[in-house]
Amino acid sequence: MVFSPLEKFCRTTLLVGLFSLLALSGLFAEGEGWLYEPHYEREGVTMFAEGTIAANTGQGWETYYVAAQPYFQMDTTRITAFTGMQLTGGTFDLTAGVTYWPWVWKVAKVGFSARYNLNYYNDISLTHNILLGASLETRPLKWFGMKASVSGLVKNRSIFAIDSSRKYLHNLCQAFSVEADVYLPYDIMAYFSVASYERYRYMMAVAPSFTLGGTKQLVNNFYAGLELAVRYTDFFTASTFYDGCEIRIMAGRSF
């Protein structure tokens, strides 16, 4: 059974919509046992720097096996900004983005986001990925939070082998990301996400990544984490295909 592009789009939109409605339900909850004290009304600036080592199976679009990923993020009540890069033996990625949060409540905030990614494959291609969309974060319970975003993705790719005949290949599609966070005792956070893109991977919406991970707060604002990302192509059709996976070990410090 093969779905048309319109059917694929409708299924993706429905999935994102259901998760977003679940997250928004926290806005209308009542009672001290449900509402969590203001989480987003923080004064000042929060920053963190992070370093990641990734091990990839090299089966799909990503042909590398080991990658280094430095990352930096800054948060205020109204602005979230970040930048990072990925370094491998044959590729280079640079990613930067910003989200403006004009609507901030006790347990949630909604804003507009923009993200840019530069992907360079040695002697193969150069790709510019641009995402523009809307984002939602909510933490209706002390132990539970959710994040969701819906964006438009513009891909401009230059393939060096055909550069003389066609300088750029253009694609326009939708992009989405949904994440559930669980806050556990002993400063442990576990999370699970379904997304059509990652920090350094920007595919069509029918090629999502499923990420399971966790972090542990250590002394002096240091933390450590572990992630497993499993990737598929044609996921919303009957021809779902496993594309590969990546394991990441992270360490960082907040300021």
Side-chain angles (χ1 to χ4, degrees):
M1 183 177 183
V2 179
F3 295 96
S4 68
L6 178 60
E7 290 172 322
K8 295 176 185 177
F9 176 82
C10 292
R11 295 182 71 185
T12 302
T13 303
L14 178 61
L15 176 66
V16 173
L18 289 173
F19 275 105
S20 299
L21 286 174
L22 176 61
L24 281 170
S25 65
L27 293 175
F28 307 101
E30 297 180 356
E32 293 299 325
W34 174 262
L35 288 178
Y36 182 52
E37 285 302 309
H39 175 62
Y40 300 114
E41 297 176 3
R42 298 188 297 265
E43 297 294 334
V45 178
T46 301
M47 298 180 289
F48 69 87
E50 180 180 287
T52 300
I53 297 297
N56 192 286
T57 56
Q59 296 169 294
W61 172 253
E62 295 76 15
T63 57
Y64 59 86
Y65 292 100
V66 178
Q69 301 171 348
Y71 181 80
F72 177 81
Q73 181 168 315
M74 179 189 73
D75 291 288
T76 69
T77 303
R78 298 291 180 179
I79 298 290
T80 297
F82 65 88
T83 185
M85 65 178 64
Q86 176 174 260
L87 305 170
T88 78
T91 66
F92 171 78
D93 278 85
L94 175 66
T95 298
V98 62
T99 302
Y100 171 60
W101 307 99
W103 299 289
V104 179
W105 297 281
K106 272 191 174 183
V107 295
K109 58 182 180 180
V110 176
F112 303 103
S113 56
R115 177 185 293 235
Y116 169 75
N117 168 258
L118 170 70
N119 172 263
Y120 175 71
Y121 266 64
N122 290 354
D123 302 322
I124 297 177
S125 67
L126 176 67
T127 306
H128 303 276
N129 298 298
I130 302 171
L131 282 82
L132 300 173
S135 298
L136 162 73
E137 290 189 11
T138 180
R139 190 172 172 180
L141 295 173
K142 185 175 182 179
W143 56 270
F144 178 76
M146 287 194 70
K147 302 172 185 175
S149 68
V150 180
S151 306
L153 169 61
V154 179
K155 295 180 70 71
N156 291 319
R157 174 174 296 154
S158 175
I159 300 177
F160 303 145
I162 62 171
D163 187 62
S164 60
S165 60
R166 186 172 184 180
K167 189 171 182 59
Y168 280 103
L169 302 176
H170 304 283
N171 294 104
L172 175 63
C173 69
Q174 74 275 18
F176 70 93
S177 175
V178 181
E179 177 180 312
D181 302 324
V182 179
Y183 299 85
L184 303 171
Y186 305 105
D187 295 320
I188 297 174
M189 185 188 77
Y191 51 91
F192 175 75
S193 69
V194 182
S196 64
Y197 60 91
E198 301 173 31
R199 283 182 187 173
Y200 310 107
R201 185 179 195 261
Y202 296 82
M203 306 294 284
M204 300 298 167
V206 294
S209 299
F210 296 81
T211 302
L212 177 65
T215 61
K216 171 71 171 75
Q217 291 293 326
L218 306 174
V219 297
N220 298 323
N221 294 325
F222 284 93
Y223 65 90
L226 181 67
E227 279 186 354
L228 171 65
V230 181
R231 297 155 173 171
Y232 290 88
T233 61
D234 298 322
F235 184 79
F236 301 102
T237 72
S239 58
T240 299
F241 180 76
Y242 166 74
D243 191 54
C245 70
E246 185 167 291
I247 298 175
R248 309 182 188 108
I249 299 175
M250 305 164 290
R253 186 177 188 271
S254 59
F255 304 90

